[in-house]
């Protein structure tokens, strides 16, 4: 945390001389939950033993973010984003999950402080902007619009958050532009590390690094297209492609085995990952509807699972748990502002009644891999979002997570408050 605060101070100091060019903002969330199911890490492997466990409560600050941007003039600008996640406690590198046993559910650990964005951009004209640095990878609806006022739930939409990195950010170079009703973005970034994939989260942890640098042996390619010609409606397609097997450190799976003079066993394998996503958002005067559909396919998943299982333990950041061949997530939410029915305050405030459904599976096994039924989940939620100001939302919801037959369903009640916006002098 101290390093992050010092970095923010260094960034701010030279900009104070030209405050009119500074862009400062951010977003944050506070969440309180009561979960009416067991918090045991063994609740999926031994569901009968934990069916009558007491409920448990949680308090969290999922994200607290500071934006800092600056316009240098002549088309040059910069943007940074400093995030405190889950109150910023824990180690510098967030090892999100700790194995309870070989086939058990995983336990979330503490938080982190990290620089999610830091890029410098040259704008030639609206149709062409070149950006280099650490940036958001805009694959899927959540990564493209991850601020808390862009979804109704207290927590981020569960399906996309589970199977994709969120917020997915990496270092590289890209171009983007607006051409009429079309917006495009194409970037090349340091690729994902297949050794960080796992059963419960698919590729969610693959963008992280346990080192003070990001391994970039194999780049990743991402693109996104938004279409906004229809009034109040945005339609979007996005995707990603990249190899993941040799993006670890040390890079000792590739090359020549000097004892035999032959190529190493896994040298030619790639672990190619392909992602495709569709998302949309309709924002009318009182009705908001949003949805997503995401699919991922991973080659060589059996080999990746074998290698990382052999390397797990003894301080290794790798999990023993296998990663599947495929994962998918679908989600749909709708909210309607009912405040104008009851009060004239509806002119400057909003009260949305909403419902959302998600269906996802983080682990679709390849032939020969163990089937784990609990990873296929359906989630329904409903509640209210009160917006006393355009930048603030007070949220409450009932959520019910349905698991396959033989497992215990997981209902919960969540309340929270969130803000997102830019600050003015």
């Amino acid at each position: 945390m101290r390093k992050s605060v010092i970095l923010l101070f260094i960034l701010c100091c030279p900009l104070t001389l030209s405050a009119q060019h500074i862009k400062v903002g951010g977003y944050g969330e506070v969440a309180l939950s009561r979960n009416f199911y067991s918090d045991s890490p063994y609740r999926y492997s031994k569901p009968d033993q934990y069916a009558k466990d007491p409920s448990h409560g949680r308090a969290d600050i999922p994200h607290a973010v500071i934006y800092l941007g600056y316009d240098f003039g002549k088309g040059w600008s910069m943007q940074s984003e400093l995030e405190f996640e889950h109150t910023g406690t824990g180690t510098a590198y967030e090892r999100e999950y700790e194995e309870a046993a070989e086939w058990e559910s995983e336990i979330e650990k503490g938080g982190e402080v990290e620089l999610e964005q830091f890029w410098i951009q040259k704008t030639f004209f609206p149709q062409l902007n070149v950006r280099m640095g650490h940036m958001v990878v805009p694959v899927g609806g959540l990564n493209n619009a991850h601020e808390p006022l862009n979804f109704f739930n207290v927590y981020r939409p569960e399906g996309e958050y589970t199977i994709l990195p969120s917020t997915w950010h990496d270092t590289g170079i890209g171009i983007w532009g607006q051409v009429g009703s079309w917006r495009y973005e194409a970037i090349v970034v340091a690729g994902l590390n297949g050794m960080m994939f796992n059963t419960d989260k698919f590729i969610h942890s693959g963008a992280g690094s346990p080192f003070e640098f990001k391994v970039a042996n194999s780049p990743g390619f991402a693109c996104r297209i938004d279409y906004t010609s229809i009034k109040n409606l945005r339609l979007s397609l996005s995707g990603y492609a990249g190899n993941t097997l040799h993006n670890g450190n040390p890079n000792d799976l590739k090359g020549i085995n000097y004892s035999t003079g032959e190529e190493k066993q896994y040298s030619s394998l790639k672990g190619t990952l392909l992602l495709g996503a569709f998302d949309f958002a309709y924002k009318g005067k009182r009705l908001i509807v949003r949805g997503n559909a995401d699919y991922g396919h991973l080659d060589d998943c059996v080999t990746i699972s074998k290698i990382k299982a052999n390397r797990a333990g003894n301080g290794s950041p790798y999990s023993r748990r296998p990663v599947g061949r495929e994962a998918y997530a679908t989600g749909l939410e709708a909210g309607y502002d009912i405040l104008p029915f009851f009060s004239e305050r509806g002119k400057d405030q909003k009260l949305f009644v909403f419902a959302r459904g998600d269906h996802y599976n983080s682990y679709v096994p390849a032939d020969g891999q163990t089937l784990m039924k609990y990873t296929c989940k359906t989630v329904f939620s409903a509640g209210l979002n009160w917006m006393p100001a355009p930048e603030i939302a007070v949220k409450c919801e009932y959520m019910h997570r349905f698991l396959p037959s033989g497992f215990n369903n997981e209902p919960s009640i969540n309340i929270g408050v969130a803000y997102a916006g830019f600050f003015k002098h």
Side-chain angles (χ1 to χ4, degrees):
M1 181 182 295
R2 183 173 60 184
K3 290 182 179 179
S4 300
V5 173
I6 293 173
L7 175 60
L8 181 63
F9 177 77
I10 293 172
L11 289 173
C12 286
C13 281
L15 306 185
T16 56
L17 297 176
S18 303
Q20 68 271 23
H21 298 297
I22 300 175
K23 190 176 183 180
V24 180
Y27 67 88
E29 306 156 294
V30 181
L32 302 175
S33 300
R34 193 72 190 181
N35 299 318
F36 299 97
Y37 54 88
S38 174
D39 58 357
S40 170
Y42 304 99
R43 66 185 183 273
Y44 296 138
S45 62
K46 304 172 185 177
D48 293 341
Q49 296 184 21
Y50 300 97
K52 297 182 179 180
D53 272 14
S55 63
H56 62 281
R58 292 189 177 185
D60 193 11
I61 299 180
H63 307 93
V65 173
I66 299 172
Y67 291 138
L68 179 63
Y70 190 72
D71 184 356
F72 298 99
K74 299 181 180 180
W76 290 94
S77 61
M78 63 80 67
Q79 177 73 45
S80 64
E81 177 182 337
L82 178 65
E83 178 173 275
F84 299 81
E85 187 168 327
H86 301 294
T87 68
T89 59
T91 58
Y93 168 69
E94 181 187 8
R95 171 85 186 282
E96 287 198 9
Y97 295 92
E98 178 180 83
E99 290 177 279
E102 186 173 2
W103 301 111
E104 305 302 342
S105 175
E106 298 172 320
I107 307 171
E108 291 196 34
K109 294 187 70 176
E112 62 181 334
V113 180
E114 62 182 357
L115 195 65
E116 286 211 342
Q117 292 192 68
F118 177 71
W119 44 257
I120 297 174
Q121 178 175 282
K122 170 61 177 176
T123 298
F124 294 95
F125 31 83
Q127 296 84 359
L128 180 61
N129 304 264
V130 179
R131 181 179 295 174
M132 185 173 183
H134 200 72
M135 64 193 78
V136 171
V137 181
V139 176
L142 178 57
N143 284 310
N144 180 64
H146 55 276
E147 296 83 2
L149 302 191
N150 290 316
F151 50 86
F152 290 118
N153 289 105
V154 173
Y155 298 98
R156 291 180 173 181
E158 188 165 312
E160 279 196 326
Y161 180 82
T162 298
I163 71 169
L164 298 180
S166 177
T167 304
W168 189 350
H169 52 93
D170 227 320
T171 303
I173 186 171
I175 60 173
W176 69 274
Q178 185 81 35
V179 183
S181 300
W182 299 85
R183 184 189 184 279
Y184 74 91
E185 185 170 1
I187 62 176
V188 181
V189 294
L192 299 176
N193 181 2
M195 297 293 104
M196 305 300 293
F197 301 165
N198 63 34
T199 305
D200 288 2
K201 291 282 189 174
F202 193 45
I203 67 168
H204 178 93
S205 302
S209 174
F211 312 106
E212 292 185 349
F213 58 91
K214 180 66 188 293
V215 178
N217 298 328
S218 301
F221 303 87
C223 63
R224 182 179 181 86
I225 297 176
D226 300 318
Y227 178 65
T228 56
S229 180
I230 304 173
K231 184 179 179 180
N232 299 328
L233 179 64
R234 172 186 54 78
L235 302 172
S236 304
L237 291 173
S238 56
Y240 176 90
N243 298 330
T244 67
L245 186 56
H246 300 292
N247 248 354
N249 180 268
N251 186 22
D252 56 357
L253 295 174
K254 198 171 186 178
I256 301 298
N257 187 325
Y258 292 103
S259 63
T260 64
E262 299 177 351
E263 189 177 57
K264 291 183 178 179
Q265 180 181 3
Y266 303 118
S267 188
S268 61
L269 296 181
K270 298 179 179 180
T272 302
L273 173 69
L274 299 176
L275 298 173
F278 166 76
D279 65 274
F280 76 93
Y282 173 84
K283 295 184 179 180
K285 186 176 181 180
R286 295 171 65 180
L287 175 66
I288 295 178
V289 183
R290 293 177 283 237
N292 67 274
D294 310 77
Y295 172 79
H297 178 91
L298 178 65
D299 288 341
D300 305 316
C301 63
V302 176
T303 302
I304 291 175
S305 300
K306 176 183 176 181
I307 296 171
K308 70 190 192 72
N310 290 336
R311 295 192 169 199
N314 297 322
S316 168
Y318 304 145
S319 165
R320 290 185 177 88
R321 297 170 56 72
V323 58
R325 178 185 61 195
E326 299 170 347
Y328 60 85
T330 58
L332 180 66
E333 68 178 20
Y336 191 80
D337 178 18
I338 63 171
L339 196 56
F341 291 129
F342 306 104
S343 171
E344 292 184 358
R345 291 180 178 271
K347 296 178 180 179
D348 54 8
Q349 300 186 33
K350 295 181 183 296
L351 179 62
F352 286 97
V353 176
F354 80 91
R356 181 179 177 92
D358 286 274
H359 178 71
Y360 66 94
N361 193 340
S362 61
Y363 177 82
V364 179
D367 293 341
Q369 287 188 302
T370 302
L371 177 64
M372 300 185 193
K373 295 182 179 180
Y374 75 88
T375 60
C376 184
K377 300 173 183 177
T378 300
V379 184
F380 288 107
S381 56
L384 299 172
N385 274 203
W386 173 45
M387 301 185 69
E391 300 85 6
I392 297 175
V394 180
K395 304 181 178 186
C396 63
E397 68 185 16
Y398 172 77
M399 176 179 288
H400 200 108
R401 186 181 298 121
F402 295 90
L403 278 80
S405 176
F407 298 93
N408 303 309
N409 292 334
E410 298 177 344
S412 63
I413 294 176
N414 308 304
I415 61 173
V417 61
Y419 84 94
F422 287 92
F423 311 127
K424 298 181 179 178
H425 298 292

